[in-house]
């Protein structure tokens, strides 16, 4: 992978590492706990541009022990009704959710407000033992309009989602694991290695099958089973299908070597 240090012309709020099958994007505004401002939004849109043209897995993480403390309150304070109708954060997070290949959010420390909503848009969420997940927007006189009001209910169910959104409940690592908001917990020092290990498991699958499976998974209910069959028809003609199944059958035919007595 290439160095994650910023270079001339590089994003100013992100550190980016490019691998063969993945892109690791680190939110990097440590002076404000990686608060999501307009520049970060614009730079994440540029990441989406790249991944829509050249599909790779995406790993999202934070810096200095924090994923993202939320939207930049100084900027949010100045937004008015016209800004709300633009869907500044919601448009980006929906775009991230629609990326062709899976998205992994590695959550460390604070993942609040817009930071939590960014995590909800990922396909996988893994966490460190220090994670704190929640949506405190109503305490600031607004609501979580960038996905929490519908994604969170899908992820954890209505009762827990209402506790988080309406009563300001913040989940620690074990609580988030218990409600399946995250699927793994690791020590902070091991979190990124775990994210890459998960990406390795995904990367061992056929990329086209993975892309189509994600697309069909998120298709509306009324589209099934037609969209499933259409995707399968593509894969049934895929060279990778024949190569992978031939390899599987060849392994099955290998004679078993008797264990020494």
């Amino acid at each position: 992978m290439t160095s994650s240090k910023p270079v001339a012309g590089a994003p100013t709020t992100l550190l980016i590492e490019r691998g063969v099958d993945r892109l690791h994007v680190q939110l990097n505004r440590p002076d404000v706990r990686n608060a999501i401002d307009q520049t970060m939004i614009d730079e994440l849109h540029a990441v989406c541009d790249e991944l829509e043209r050249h599909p790779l897995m995406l790993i999202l993480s934070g810096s200095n022990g924090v994923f993202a403390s939320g939207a930049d309150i100084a900027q949010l304070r100045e937004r008015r009704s016209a800004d709300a109708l633009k869907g500044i954060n919601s448009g980006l997070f929906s775009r991230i959710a629609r990326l062709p290949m899976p998205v992994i959010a590695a959550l460390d420390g604070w993942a609040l407000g817009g930071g939590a909503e960014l995590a909800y848009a990922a396909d996988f969420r893994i966490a460190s033992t220090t994670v704190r997940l929640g949506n405190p927007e109503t305490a600031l006189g607004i609501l979580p309009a960038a996905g929490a009001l519908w994604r969170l209910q899908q992820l954890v169910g209505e009762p827990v989602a209402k506790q988080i959104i309406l009563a300001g409940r913040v989940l620690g690592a074990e609580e988030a694991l218990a409600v399946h908001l995250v699927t793994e917990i690791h020590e902070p020092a091991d979190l990124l290695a775990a994210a890459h290990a998960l990406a390795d498991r995904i990367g061992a699958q056929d990329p086209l099958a993975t892309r189509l499976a994600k697309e069909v998974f998120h298709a509306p209910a009324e589209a099934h089973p037609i969209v499933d069959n259409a995707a399968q028809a593509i894969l049934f003609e895929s060279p990778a299908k024949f190569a992978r199944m031939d390899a599987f059958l060849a392994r099955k035919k290998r004679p078993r070597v008797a264990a020494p007595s």
Side-chain angles (χ1 to χ4, degrees), residues 196-233:
H196 282 289
L198 175 55
D200 289 341
R201 294 199 296 275
I202 298 168
Q205 316 308 310
D206 174 53
L208 179 59
T210 300
R211 286 179 59 185
L212 290 177
K214 175 176 175 176
E215 184 176 348
V216 172
F217 187 95
H218 290 289
E222 61 271 16
H224 301 286
I226 294 173
V227 68
D228 309 61
N229 296 337
Q232 193 76 297

Side-chain angles (χ1 to χ4, degrees), residues 81-162:
S81 59
D83 298 304
L85 295 174
K86 292 176 184 176
I88 295 170
N89 286 11
S90 62
L92 171 68
F93 299 165
S94 290
R95 192 176 183 188
I96 287 172
R98 293 193 304 268
L99 285 173
M101 290 294 284
V103 178
I104 301 167
L107 308 176
D108 199 13
W110 297 110
L112 298 175
E117 290 179 299
L118 173 57
Y120 303 157
D123 298 290
F124 301 89
R125 283 161 300 282
I126 65 173
S128 80
T129 54
T130 68
V131 78
R132 301 286 286 170
L133 270 158
N135 287 95
E137 282 89 343
T138 54
L140 296 171
I142 59 174
L143 53 79
L149 290 170
W150 55 279
R151 283 197 181 97
L152 189 55
Q153 181 177 178
Q154 293 175 350
L155 292 170
V156 301
E158 182 178 327
V160 175
K162 283 184 174 178

Side-chain angles (χ1 to χ4, degrees), residues 2 12 17 21 26 39 42 65 85 133 139 144 208 217 223 248 256:
T2 59
T12 61
E17 293 178 290
D21 63 351
Q26 187 178 33
T39 300
D42 294 341
L85 295 174
L133 270 158
L208 179 59
F217 187 95
F248 175 84
R256 294 185 179 180

